[in-house]
Amino acid sequence: MTNTQIPAVRPKQPAAQPAPAPGPSTRDRGTRLLATLFLAPTIVGIVVFTVVPIVGSVVLSLFHWNVIDDPRFAGAANYREVFTDSTVLVSFGNTLVFMVFAVALQLLIALVLALAVNGRMPVWLRSVFRSAFFFPLVLSAASISVVMKYLFNQDFGVVNWLLGLVGVAPVPWLTSENAAMATVILVYVWQQFGFSFLLFVGGLNNIPKEVHEAASLDGATGLRKHLSITLPLLSPTLLVASVVGIINALQVFEQPYVLTNGGPGDATRTVVMVIYESAFEQLRFGEASAVGVLLFVLIMAVTALQFRLSRRFVHYQ
Amino acid sequence: MSQATLSVSRTRHSLAPWARIAALAVCALLTLGPVIWTVSTSLRTPAEAFDLPPSIIPTNPSTEAYRGVFDQIDVWLLALNSTLVTALIAVGQMITAGLAGYAFARLEFRFKKPLFGLVLATMMVPLQVTIVPVFLVLKSMGLTDTLLGLIIPAFPTAFGTFLMRQYFLGMPKDLGEAAMLDGCGPWRIFRSVYAPLAAPGLAIVGVLAFNYHWNEFFRPLILETSGQNYTLPLGLVSLQGNLGTGSISVVLAGVVLSMIPAVAVFVVGQRPLREGITSAGVNR
C-alpha cells in the first residue's frame, strides 16, 4: 500500500552525474503519455457516470421535472416535501430498522460460523462448509426472492409446514405488517452472511497461532479466549465487514421489491424503492433526486460515525 | 492459507468437536435447503408442485416445467442478452482495471494521488444515488433501452482498479528495471514483463464482474423497457407476474435455468471469487 517507492520506470542515475537537463526527457514523456492512455477509460467513465451524476443529482433535487415539460426551479421545495411526505419518512425509518437488524444478524451468524469452521476438523469437511455458506452469494437476489416468496407463503409454504410439524400455527410471513419486515431481513441475511463469513475466515487465518498458544498456556479456554483475544485481534476485519454491510444494507432493493413490493401498506418500503417509484413510475425526477441526496448524506454520516467510534475499539496488531 | 492454523490449541475447546460439526451441518443444510427445494420442485409436474411434505426426490420426475418456461418466455434471447452484457462488462473491466491499476502502481505522472483518491471515493457512492442523472445521460446519448446502455457505464470499476493496483504493487520492481536497462520503453515493459504476470489478478476482476452483472436487477429494470432487451433476472420476475396459480414449478424451473451459469462460475471460479471478496477486507 505504499506510495513512497521509487518509480519503476525512471532510469537509475549515478549520484555523481550532473543534474538532468531541464524539461522532461523523452522517456518521461513516454511514461506520461502511457499513463494518460491507461487512465483515460477509467477516469472518463468515472467522471461521466459518477461525478457528473452526483452534481446532477444535487442540481436536479432543486427542480420540479417530469422529463416531458421544462424543468421548473423549486428551491428547497422538494426537500420540504420529503420531510413531510409520510411514505418517504416511513421508508427512511424502515431502512434504518432493516440496516440495524440485518447487519447485526449477518455479522453475528458469520462470526459464530467462522469460529466454528476454524475449529479442528478434516480439511475436506472444512471446505464443504465454507463452500456451502458462501454459495448463496453467487445467486441473484431477485430470483432468490422469487423462490423465498413461495417458501414463506402463509398457506402452502414449506416454512409454515415445517413449523406446523412442531405445532406452531401458520405465520403470515409476508402479509402482516409486523412479520413482513422480519421476513425481508431473514431473506437478505440468508443470502448475504457469506460475505462477512469469508472476511472473518480470512481475518482469523491472519491471527498468528502463537497468540492462541500463549493464551492457552496462561489458562484461557473456550469463550473466554475468544472474547479477550480473538475478537480484539479480529476487530479490523469486523470494522470492514460492518462498514461494507451497512453501506449495502442501506441500498436494499431487490428483496422487498420482489417479496412484498413495499407492503403491506408501507411496512417494507425502503429508501431505494421510493427513489425507483418516484423517478421511474411517477416521473418525479426532482423529488427522487432529493431522496437520493439524503440517502447519500445518510450513508456518509453513518460511515463517518462508524470510523469515529471504531477508533476506540479497533486494535491493530 | 493455513487450514490448520488454530487447531493446535484446541485441546480444551468448550464444545465437543462432534457437536460443533453437527451444528455446522445443520446450518449448511439450512443454507442450501432453499436451493435444493428449488431444484427438486422444478422437476415435479406443475400439479404436484404444491405437495406437502415436499418430496426431495420427485416421485414422478418431469421436465414439463422446463418446457413451460421455454413456452412462456424467450429463454434463448434472454440468455443471449445476459451473456452478451455480462461477458462484455467482464472483459471491459479487466481491460480498464488492468490498465488503470498498472498506471497507479508503476507509472509516474502528475495528479496521481488526487486521481487515485477520486477512484477510491467512487467506491462509496451508491448506484441508486446517481441513477436518475445516469439515466438522463444515457438518454441524451440515445442509449436507454439498449444493451449498450447497460454495458458502457459498467466499464470503469473502482474496486477492480484498486485490486489491480495492489496486484501490480506486489510484483518485483527489478523485472521492469532490468527490462529498461535492456532498452525497453514503458509500453514494452508493461506489455512484455508485467501484463503477462497479471493474469490471476485479472481473473479475480473478471469473475467478480461476471457474478455481479449476471445477477444484476436494478439497472436493467430501469434501463430496459422493451422485452427484447430484457436480461434473465428481469425475464424471471416477469415470468412470475404472468402466471396464474398452480404452476410454481415453471417459475422455479426458470430460476434453475438462470442459476446454471452462476453455479458454473462458482465451481470454476470459486477461488478467484473468494480471494476477491476476502481482499476487500484484508487489503484496505
Side-chain angles (χ1 to χ4, degrees):
Chain A
M1 295 274 317
T2 165
N3 278 323
T4 54
Q5 59 195 335
I6 309 154
V9 287
R10 198 168 288 171
K12 269 186 196 159
Q13 291 182 341
Q17 251 188 10
S25 73
T26 41
R27 172 147 291 161
D28 274 357
R29 220 178 297 139
T31 304
R32 242 174 261 149
L33 179 68
L34 199 68
T36 312
L37 288 176
F38 277 19
L39 286 177
T42 296
I43 300 295
V44 170
I46 281 177
V47 168
V48 174
F49 294 110
T50 307
V51 179
V52 170
I54 289 176
V55 179
S57 265
V58 175
V59 173
L60 215 57
S61 73
L62 303 174
F63 285 83
H64 289 302
W65 196 33
N66 60 6
V67 194
I68 303 146
D69 304 321
D70 287 339
R72 275 183 300 120
F73 186 72
N78 288 331
Y79 289 94
R80 269 201 302 278
E81 196 174 316
V82 166
F83 282 107
T84 49
D85 184 328
S86 63
T87 302
V88 179
L89 289 179
V90 165
S91 79
F92 270 95
N94 287 341
T95 305
L96 285 174
V97 168
F98 175 87
M99 177 198 86
V100 169
F101 285 96
V103 174
L105 210 58
Q106 179 185 334
L107 294 185
L108 186 72
I109 293 174
L111 185 61
V112 169
L113 291 178
L115 285 170
V117 164
N118 242 322
R120 203 192 332 218
M121 70 177 76
V123 171
W124 66 269
L125 193 58
R126 192 195 314 273
S127 58
V128 166
F129 285 140
R130 233 173 23 184
S131 302
F133 297 140
F134 158 55
F135 185 72
L137 269 182
V138 304
L139 304 176
S140 111
S143 56
I144 267 317
S145 302
V146 170
V147 171
M148 292 293 188
K149 204 170 166 177
Y150 293 112
L151 288 176
F152 281 100
N153 183 288
Q154 183 177 358
D155 302 318
F156 54 79
V158 175
V159 175
N160 272 348
W161 171 77
L162 279 173
L163 289 176
L165 294 183
V166 290
V168 177
V171 178
W173 292 105
L174 294 166
T175 44
S176 95
E177 293 216 352
N178 292 329
M181 180 56 93
T183 311
V184 171
I185 291 172
L186 273 181
V187 170
Y188 179 89
V189 169
W190 173 81
Q191 193 182 14
Q192 288 286 320
F193 79 87
F195 187 87
S196 320
F197 171 79
L198 285 183
L199 294 186
F200 290 150
V201 169
L204 286 173
N205 280 337
N206 279 347
I207 298 176
K209 66 181 177 190
E210 293 81 14
V211 178
H212 279 269
E213 281 162 11
S216 300
L217 288 178
D218 288 345
T221 53
L223 192 62
R224 165 87 205 163
K225 198 161 69 183
H226 286 321
L227 284 182
S228 41
I229 295 168
T230 315
L231 272 190
L233 288 176
L234 201 60
S235 54
T237 313
L238 270 168
L239 175 66
V240 173
S242 60
V243 169
V244 176
I246 283 178
I247 293 178
N248 285 340
L250 289 174
Q251 299 169 51
V252 59
F253 176 76
E254 276 94 339
Q255 288 85 354
Y257 179 81
V258 175
L259 283 169
T260 58
N261 200 17
D266 285 333
T268 55
R269 204 170 305 280
T270 64
V271 176
V272 172
M273 285 188 72
V274 168
I275 295 177
Y276 171 73
E277 288 164 356
S278 52
F280 299 102
E281 284 176 0
Q282 304 157 5
L283 298 181
R284 291 156 31 124
F285 281 72
E287 289 85 342
S289 298
V291 176
V293 170
L294 289 176
L295 175 65
F296 191 38
V297 172
L298 178 69
I299 289 179
M300 290 295 155
V302 171
T303 314
L305 181 74
Q306 221 181 346
F307 275 106
R308 265 198 101 91
L309 286 177
S310 72
R311 269 189 223 145
R312 277 207 260 150
F313 302 112
V314 174
H315 305 262
Y316 292 94
Q317 284 174 34
Chain B
M1 307 304 322
S2 56
Q3 297 289 335
T5 324
L6 297 180
S7 53
V8 184
S9 55
R10 283 299 156 80
T11 38
R12 288 190 59 196
H13 198 281
S14 51
L15 215 59
W18 65 266
R20 180 166 44 81
I21 289 173
L24 277 170
V26 171
C27 292
L29 206 64
L30 279 176
T31 309
L32 296 181
V35 181
I36 297 167
W37 177 81
T38 306
V39 175
S40 90
T41 306
S42 75
L43 289 169
R44 277 179 247 163
T45 60
E48 289 173 352
F50 287 98
D51 283 1
L52 288 173
S55 43
I56 292 303
I57 294 150
T59 35
N60 310 307
S62 141
T63 54
E64 198 183 326
Y66 287 86
R67 263 174 278 134
V69 178
F70 281 88
D71 287 345
Q72 290 195 30
I73 56 175
D74 194 342
V75 179
W76 294 116
L77 179 74
L78 297 181
L80 181 70
N81 287 347
S82 274
T83 309
L84 213 62
V85 168
T86 313
L88 286 176
I89 292 177
V91 171
Q93 287 199 356
M94 285 158 78
I95 295 172
T96 60
L99 296 179
Y102 182 77
F104 282 126
R106 284 281 182 259
L107 300 179
E108 278 310 306
F109 50 91
R110 263 190 300 176
F111 308 123
K112 183 163 154 173
K113 275 195 173 171
L115 281 177
F116 189 61
L118 174 79
V119 172
L120 284 190
T122 57
M123 276 206 273
M124 297 271 296
V125 182
L127 167 73
Q128 292 87 355
V129 171
T130 54
I131 191 68
V132 172
V134 165
F135 176 81
L136 298 173
V137 169
L138 289 172
K139 202 174 158 68
S140 72
M141 295 174 166
L143 290 177
T144 43
D145 202 19
T146 67
L147 295 180
L148 265 187
L150 273 180
I151 296 167
I152 292 173
F155 278 161
T157 156
F159 181 66
T161 303
F162 175 73
L163 207 105
M164 288 315 296
R165 172 181 175 269
Q166 299 301 101
Y167 211 83
F168 282 115
L169 280 178
M171 294 179 190
K173 262 185 303 184
D174 326 13
L175 292 177
E177 281 162 11
M180 199 178 53
L181 290 177
D182 287 347
C184 285
W187 163 254
R188 276 289 303 278
I189 294 176
F190 169 72
R191 180 67 199 84
S192 315
V193 180
Y194 286 112
L197 294 174
L202 291 174
I204 297 181
V205 174
V207 169
L208 281 177
F210 190 97
N211 182 239
Y212 181 84
H213 290 283
W214 181 266
N215 294 327
E216 201 180 7
F217 184 71
F218 188 70
R219 284 194 319 136
L221 178 69
I222 285 164
L223 290 173
E224 309 305 335
T225 40
S226 45
Q228 87 236 22
N229 290 328
Y230 275 16
T231 54
L232 271 171
L234 286 184
L236 285 179
V237 174
S238 77
L239 190 67
Q240 179 203 21
N242 286 333
L243 286 173
T245 50
S247 33
I248 60 173
S249 52
V250 176
V251 181
L252 297 180
V255 171
V256 173
L257 286 177
S258 80
M259 273 181 192
I260 291 170
V263 173
V265 166
F266 174 77
V267 173
V268 179
Q270 183 173 179
R271 228 189 58 166
L273 201 55
R274 241 183 12 220
E275 281 170 6
I277 291 170
T278 313
S279 68
V282 179
N283 279 341
R284 263 183 219 179

